[in-house]
Amino acid sequence: MKRMTYQIAATATALFHLGFILFVIFGGLLVLRWPRLMLLHLPAAVWGVLIEFFSWYCPLTRWENHFLRQAGRAGYDTGFVAHYIMPVIYPAGLTRGIEIAIGVFVLALNAAIYWRVFR
């Protein structure tokens, strides 16, 4: 029963992590409709860009790995994007150049959206 609880926590953390990533990438579009959401999205977008540019390890990945190990499963050594998303998009794996490209994409998309919001 305890392992199942940890498995549920790992899955919930992974889903939250995916939602956070989608919010970082596309949340600026929500800001166009609800400008006050900028107070949540702007720090999230900055965090997402910094994670990619500096190859930092996201705390959500640490939590997910912790819950997976407590559930008796192996965690993973790469980040969330490298472990779950990149194998779907780029089966060969995540390179440093791709990480930088993701950061540039998120930065450019959100800069364009915020330019419009502030204009």
Side-chain angles (χ1 to χ4, degrees):
M1 185 65 167
K2 192 173 184 180
R3 284 184 179 213
M4 185 169 51
T5 302
Y6 283 116
Q7 180 61 49
I8 291 169
T11 301
T13 304
L15 290 173
F16 179 79
H17 202 168
L18 177 61
F20 182 80
I21 290 169
L22 292 173
F23 181 66
V24 164
I25 296 170
F26 301 112
L29 297 171
L30 298 173
V31 171
L32 290 172
R33 174 73 171 101
W34 298 288
R36 287 187 174 180
L37 193 58
M38 180 187 338
L39 297 173
L40 290 176
H41 180 257
L42 196 54
V46 168
W47 175 255
V49 168
L50 290 174
I51 286 279
E52 293 304 327
F53 281 174
F54 295 107
S55 197
W56 292 344
Y57 202 71
C58 182
L60 290 170
T61 302
R62 291 185 202 283
W63 278 103
E64 183 183 350
N65 278 322
H66 168 74
F67 292 137
L68 285 171
R69 289 183 182 108
Q70 293 298 315
R73 296 187 49 211
Y76 52 90
D77 295 326
T78 58
F80 180 87
V81 171
H83 186 75
Y84 287 113
I85 297 172
M86 295 313 288
V88 174
I89 300 170
Y90 302 102
L94 179 65
T95 65
R96 184 69 185 124
I98 293 171
E99 283 183 327
I100 297 292
I102 291 169
V104 168
F105 171 74
V106 170
L107 180 62
L109 176 65
N110 285 292
I113 290 169
Y114 279 99
W115 178 78
R116 183 170 176 194
V117 167
F118 288 122
R119 196 171 60 105

